Amino acid sequence: MLELIAIRKAFNQGKPNEFWALDGIDLEIPQKGVTVLRGPSGSGKTTLLTILGCLARPTEGRVRLHGELISGLPERFLTEIRRKTFGFVFQQFNLIRGLSAIENIILPSYPTGERRSVLLERGEALLEKLRLSHRRDNAVEWLSGGEQQRVAICRALINSPQILIADEPTANLDTRLAREFLTILKLLADEGRTVVMTSHDPVVADSEVVDRVISLRDGRIVPDLAQVFAQAFG
Amino acid sequence: MLRRPSSRLFTIWIIALVAMTASFVDAWRLARTNDAAIERTAELVEQLRLTDPVLFTEARYTRHPTQADLHSAFQSHPLALEHFPSGTLIPPTIRGAYERLD
Amino acid sequence: MNDWIERQRHLLDFTLTSLARRKTKNIGLLVVFALLVFVLASVSLYTQALRSEAVRVLEQSPEIVVQRLVAGRHDLIPPDYLEGIGRLRGVRSIETRLWGYYYDPVLKANYTLMVPRTRTIEQGEIVVGPALEHTRGLGTNTGISLRAYSGELHTFLVTDVLPHETELMSADLVLMNEGDFRRFFNFPDGHYTDIVLSVANPREVRNIGLKLMEMLPDARPILREEVLRTYNSIYAWREGLLLALLSASILAFGILAWEKSTGLSADERREIGILKAIGWETGDVIRMKFWEGFVIAFSAFLFGYVLAYVHVFYLRFFLFEPVLKGWAVLYPRFALTPQIDAMQLITLFIFTVVPYVAAVLVPIWRAATTDPDTVMRS
């Protein structure tokens, strides 16, 4: 469904400190399942995630969504695709301080121009689903780490995106909360959503929720041993 | 309904706009009430052949600024007649400092 | 269309909640801004009202006043002076005026003593302006003694007080009989203070003035047009002076606004990054910031204007009165008539709201175009 072809991404291109974060990535994310990008820091997994989520454009190569080429689209259209198709959960949660949980959740829907009552209803349903209704009107900076993450997940889901993108979602959580996160992830995967996330947390990588692990190093995909076997003897 | 921030803002704006409109209505009302008085003043001006409002009475040259001598010290504009808008902006406060001999 | 409105309302909601986060700072800014609009609007409303009232009343003043000059100073009109003017074409009527100043040591103010043409006053009687009523306690059937320049005391009986509503023009007047006037001032018979001409065709006024100066080289015609222009410039001068004094505070506010809006904090930058990452377009961010500027500026404009109206027309302009109105011992009391025109309001709007909104928008441009992936790279 989401397809990357010969992706390369450079930072500071043309300058002495030019640096290729991704160097030839071919990847296909299927419609269903949870994919984890793994690798040491500097391996390019976050950069790959930004390209998958249409947050950034590749320097070279093509991105296809449902078979359509989207890497060349102007910003406006890209933003619209991002809003409709992707939901984001960031490592630092990136909630807007001073706003209540519900206001943070409906924020991504503002540009759609839907009625506020509709948005509130949808936000409340999500809070309900993640058992957070009692925090509806609390300012987000007063919530605990786990609660903040659940608010962030609600926000990512407000526009009912097909694909959920998460960057190190368990980095700021203890093991108990990380497991709770995986439960939520299971819930979403069962609904038929695609999840792509980066993580170097063994709790995540070893979880049965995860369907696929892709390892990166120096901006390239490292073939998985199991896959190599499968290809050789399958 | 007023929980929504923009609704609260609109309420405040509407109140302020109503106050603004009220000021226009009030201006119109005052203009109508004062019209007779202004008319009467204009009549008096015509009857007595008056030339200046009584804004500065403390010296002869200021009472009828437009009827003063041809060349005097203060003209705010080369095309305007000379006038002394009381020279200072506020009245003198030191009483008796240079009391006039009269 | 409904989508568009709802979208703007969402942006407005967001802006308001973010303004509410820095409540004290933003309310402070709103108050200072509203005060600035208040001051500008007060000055503008007041001068406009006073000027238009003076001009409207003075429209009825004589078209041409002729003075005679001796050695560059105002002198009396001698008896044979009028004859020359009589032949001038286009002049509808010629009248003489008899008036002069009397300094009253009790009030330390000058009265204008005048002989009216349209009203008969008996010998020994006077009609006084309203200011004499309320400052010297004169009323109908009270007497007053004035010491003439010759040293003798003259006693007059007040028979009438001029209407209070005409105070702007008549406050200090003392109207009397011609005989009394000449005796009091020792004013030579047959001489007059000046001459008043009325002209049939208003477009001829200037030509008649020129012809007068040709015929009577020592005459100095004063045209109504010049009088009106002088009053316009007096108020323009005072208004300008006040605005010049205020310009320092306007500049200070400009710096404050600039500082506030350009000093885009790291927090705000981060927020813009988040908004872009979760699906806001550059345009949405800019529109949101536009609303932020507009909410402050438009509210300040409305509050400032309404306060200014109340201040000028109901609180007698007490804050700036001395500067704009001038001061005098016998200051007339008069009710101002508001003269609000659309141009005035539009100008005020353009000079306050527009620059502020611009100052908020300019710095945001760069921040709004930052790439959405920056939030992931921090």
Side-chain angles (χ1 to χ4, degrees):
Chain A
M1 169 183 72
L2 192 58
E3 202 182 342
L4 304 189
I5 304 137
I7 293 295
R8 296 183 81 214
K9 173 76 177 177
F11 290 107
N12 307 320
Q13 203 178 14
K15 292 189 191 142
N17 56 349
E18 183 180 283
F19 160 68
W20 289 88
L22 296 176
D23 197 5
I25 301 272
D26 293 286
L27 182 65
E28 203 187 333
I29 308 281
Q31 177 91 34
K32 279 195 178 167
V34 178
T35 307
V36 171
L37 305 176
R38 193 169 57 174
S41 59
S43 61
K45 56 185 192 303
T46 299
T47 310
L48 183 57
L49 201 65
T50 60
I51 287 174
L52 282 167
C54 294
L55 283 169
R57 253 185 274 252
T59 315
E60 287 170 20
R62 280 168 291 167
V63 182
R64 284 180 199 277
L65 177 68
H66 299 298
E68 250 176 275
L69 192 65
I70 59 168
S71 45
L73 290 176
E75 201 227 273
R76 272 194 65 144
F77 296 96
L78 212 58
T79 310
E80 204 180 323
I81 289 172
R82 188 161 70 235
R83 189 165 58 226
K84 283 185 179 157
T85 321
F86 297 93
F88 296 89
V89 177
F90 304 100
Q91 185 179 351
Q92 309 291 340
F93 312 136
N94 280 337
L95 298 172
I96 306 249
R97 293 162 57 86
L99 265 56
S100 66
I102 188 78
E103 279 171 308
N104 259 290
I105 291 169
I106 61 176
L107 217 46
S109 296
Y110 280 2
T112 62
E114 285 168 281
R115 297 191 63 77
R116 188 176 166 92
S117 51
V118 175
L119 298 183
L120 286 177
E121 223 166 86
R122 220 153 65 203
E124 279 155 8
L126 286 168
L127 277 172
E128 175 85 52
K129 192 155 112 185
L130 297 195
R131 288 175 287 108
L132 213 57
S133 296
H134 58 293
R135 291 295 191 208
R136 183 187 186 277
D137 294 315
N138 290 75
V140 286
E141 60 265 37
W142 303 114
L143 303 183
S144 71
E147 286 170 334
Q148 286 193 25
Q149 187 178 52
R150 279 187 279 159
V151 171
I153 295 170
C154 290
R155 185 178 68 182
L157 295 175
I158 188 73
N159 285 333
S160 324
Q162 170 62 41
I163 306 170
L164 190 74
I165 303 274
D167 184 28
E168 299 287 353
T170 57
N172 292 321
L173 303 178
D174 60 26
T175 314
R176 187 181 61 81
L177 287 175
R179 289 196 196 289
E180 201 175 304
F181 171 74
L182 289 169
T183 324
I184 296 170
L185 214 59
K186 177 93 174 58
L187 202 75
L188 299 176
D190 289 348
E191 281 174 2
R193 284 184 221 273
T194 317
V195 179
V196 183
M197 60 182 173
T198 61
S199 182
H200 50 243
D201 188 346
V203 180
V204 173
D206 299 341
S207 160
E208 53 169 24
V209 183
V210 175
D211 298 296
R212 208 171 304 101
V213 177
I214 291 162
S215 302
L216 282 125
R217 184 171 282 273
D218 302 328
R220 292 169 190 272
I221 294 176
V222 183
D224 201 57
L225 272 181
Q227 264 175 306
V228 174
F229 274 110
Q231 270 169 10
F233 306 104
Chain B
M1 193 57 205
L2 281 186
R3 285 174 61 93
R4 192 169 181 181
S6 58
S7 308
R8 276 180 245 167
L9 177 78
F10 290 150
T11 317
I12 295 172
W13 274 359
I14 286 168
I15 293 170
L17 280 168
V18 166
M20 197 176 188
T21 318
S23 84
F24 299 150
V25 175
D26 187 61
W28 178 78
R29 183 188 65 81
L30 276 177
R32 292 222 345 182
T33 347
N34 293 353
D35 200 59
I38 296 178
E39 216 41 62
R40 182 102 61 107
T41 313
E43 247 166 57
L44 188 84
V45 166
E46 201 191 353
Q47 283 166 10
L48 297 181
R49 314 283 186 256
L50 300 176
T51 49
D52 296 77
V54 195
L55 292 177
F56 320 104
T57 51
E58 61 286 350
R60 289 180 302 118
Y61 51 72
T62 63
R63 168 57 187 94
H64 291 97
T66 65
Q67 312 292 305
D69 293 334
L70 183 54
H71 303 290
S72 36
F74 193 92
Q75 272 173 304
S76 64
H77 189 268
L79 290 176
L81 299 167
E82 72 288 342
H83 61 267
F84 285 74
S86 284
T88 58
L89 295 176
I90 46 168
T93 45
I94 311 163
R95 284 198 165 266
Y98 44 100
E99 192 90 355
R100 282 163 54 158
L101 293 173
D102 45 35
Chain C
M1 187 62 195
N2 275 337
D3 271 12
W4 186 85
I5 291 173
E6 195 59 33
R7 195 164 152 172
Q8 303 308 314
R9 282 196 69 182
H10 286 317
L11 296 178
L12 204 50
D13 284 337
F14 180 78
T15 291
L16 289 169
T17 5
S18 40
L19 285 175
R21 276 181 289 170
R22 288 170 281 267
K23 207 174 256 167
T24 11
K25 196 178 161 194
N26 286 312
I27 288 181
L29 188 73
L30 181 70
V31 168
V32 174
F33 199 168
L35 272 178
L36 185 78
V37 176
F38 163 78
V39 171
L40 292 176
S42 291
V43 172
S44 159
L45 285 174
Y46 186 83
T47 30
Q48 183 90 353
L50 190 56
R51 194 185 324 191
S52 70
E53 185 151 338
V55 166
R56 188 171 155 203
V57 164
L58 288 174
E59 298 260 278
Q60 300 305 320
S61 70
E63 276 136 335
I64 303 179
V65 173
V66 183
Q67 289 180 346
R68 191 171 76 103
L69 297 182
V70 169
R73 315 204 67 177
H74 186 190
D75 205 52
L76 302 183
I77 306 280
D80 56 348
Y81 206 73
L82 280 167
E83 284 160 25
I85 306 175
R87 318 264 165 273
L88 220 53
R89 278 176 58 128
V91 175
R92 192 166 51 192
S93 74
I94 303 176
E95 279 171 20
T96 50
R97 287 203 301 176
L98 264 181
W99 61 276
Y101 296 117
Y102 173 78
Y103 181 72
D104 182 5
V106 179
L107 285 183
K108 299 194 189 327
N110 282 280
Y111 302 154
T112 302
L113 271 54
M114 184 174 251
V115 177
R117 293 224 144 249
T118 48
R119 183 168 182 160
T120 342
I121 295 170
E122 296 304 317
Q123 195 178 331
E125 292 177 355
I126 53 173
V127 171
V128 297
L132 274 80
E133 184 185 48
H134 51 72
T135 51
R136 274 211 72 166
L138 295 180
T140 313
N141 293 325
T142 54
I144 182 175
S145 295
L146 303 175
R147 184 184 290 273
Y149 288 169
S150 62
E152 346 161 7
L153 273 177
H154 291 244
T155 307
F156 297 102
L157 179 71
V158 179
T159 55
D160 196 7
V161 179
L162 292 168
H164 282 261
E165 59 212 43
T166 63
E167 199 164 335
L168 178 62
M169 299 299 294
S170 69
D172 70 331
L173 291 184
V174 176
L175 304 181
M176 55 171 63
N177 173 288
E178 183 172 345
D180 282 343
F181 184 86
R182 289 190 187 275
R183 260 191 304 285
F184 188 75
F185 282 121
N186 215 356
F187 208 94
D189 279 340
H191 284 65
Y192 293 93
T193 313
D194 47 26
I195 303 168
V196 165
L197 299 185
S198 84
V199 177
N201 182 356
R203 273 184 292 188
E204 281 294 300
V205 172
R206 188 152 280 276
N207 282 336
I208 290 174
L210 289 172
K211 276 187 215 157
L212 266 171
M213 286 170 78
E214 224 169 84
M215 276 168 45
L216 305 163
D218 60 346
R220 178 197 173 211
I222 299 167
L223 310 184
R224 181 166 69 199
E225 179 199 325
E226 291 175 308
V227 170
L228 291 175
R229 197 165 59 207
T230 300
Y231 276 100
N232 266 323
S233 82
I234 288 181
Y235 291 110
W237 178 79
R238 281 180 170 262
E239 188 180 23
L241 195 79
L242 196 61
L243 290 180
L245 290 173
L246 282 175
S247 62
S249 56
I250 295 172
L251 273 180
F253 178 76
I255 293 165
L256 181 80
W258 186 255
E259 167 69 27
K260 197 241 158 208
S261 49
T262 47
L264 211 57
S265 62
D267 268 0
E268 281 175 286
R269 271 175 208 284
R270 207 182 125 254
E271 260 179 46
I272 289 171
I274 297 173
L275 293 174
K276 293 206 69 178
I278 62 175
W280 284 36
E281 284 165 27
T282 308
D284 292 322
V285 174
I286 290 170
R287 269 181 289 252
M288 182 271 284
K289 278 285 164 183
F290 163 81
W291 284 117
E292 183 180 317
F294 191 77
V295 163
I296 298 260
F298 189 59
S299 307
F301 174 77
L302 289 178
F303 299 154
Y305 166 80
V306 171
L307 284 179
Y309 185 87
V310 174
H311 171 226
V312 171
F313 298 110
Y314 286 93
L315 301 175
R316 306 193 68 96
F317 197 57
F318 73 100
L319 286 177
F320 308 108
E321 193 178 32
V323 187
L324 267 181
K325 199 163 152 184
W327 60 277
V329 184
L330 290 182
Y331 205 91
R333 298 177 190 165
F334 55 95
L336 273 180
T337 306
Q339 284 290 330
I340 305 162
D341 61 52
M343 226 17 240
Q344 202 183 350
L345 281 178
I346 292 168
T347 313
L348 190 65
F349 186 85
I350 288 176
F351 277 94
T352 52
V353 176
V354 176
Y356 184 77
V357 173
V360 173
L361 278 186
V362 171
I364 209 69
W365 207 269
R366 274 184 58 127
T369 49
T370 48
D371 290 323
D373 62 332
T374 42
V375 276
M376 296 268 249
R377 282 198 261 115
S378 56

